[in-house]
Amino acid sequence: KQCIKDCPMQYYPTTNNLKEKTCELCNGNCKTCFGPESTNCFSCKNGSFYLKDLHSCFETCPVYYYTNSTGSECVKC
């Protein structure tokens, strides 16, 4: 319940039905996100893998994806 210029890390800006701007919490695997969904990630927390095509973070890479050489992203087979 305070006014700030930008949302802090792990939050993304959104507008509610009353046209009020608020900061909403990112999905648990996101380190930073952009919205409009909490799963729209820019980066992931340690231990999660980033899937660039979906802008999402996963605990393990989904089917038809593998972990890249740096071990931080999921790449399509």
Side-chain angles (χ1 to χ4, degrees):
K1 300 282 182 184
Q2 62 182 353
C3 295
I4 55 176
K5 183 178 178 182
D6 296 312
C7 293
M9 186 180 273
Q10 295 185 346
Y11 287 82
Y12 64 97
T14 187
T15 305
N16 65 19
N17 293 340
L18 302 173
K19 306 281 189 217
E20 298 170 327
K21 292 183 179 181
T22 60
C23 295
E24 298 293 328
L25 187 62
C26 297
N27 174 278
N29 291 325
C30 294
K31 184 175 182 178
T32 57
C33 65
F34 56 92
E37 300 295 326
S38 66
T39 54
N40 297 132
C41 306
F42 277 131
S43 62
C44 303
K45 290 182 178 177
N46 288 342
S48 294
F49 303 99
Y50 187 64
L51 181 51
K52 191 174 185 176
D53 294 343
L54 299 177
H55 298 287
S56 295
C57 299
F58 295 90
E59 289 182 15
T60 59
C61 292
V63 176
Y64 304 115
Y65 288 83
Y66 66 95
T67 306
N68 71 348
S69 60
T70 65
S72 60
E73 291 186 19
C74 295
V75 181
K76 196 169 189 172
C77 295

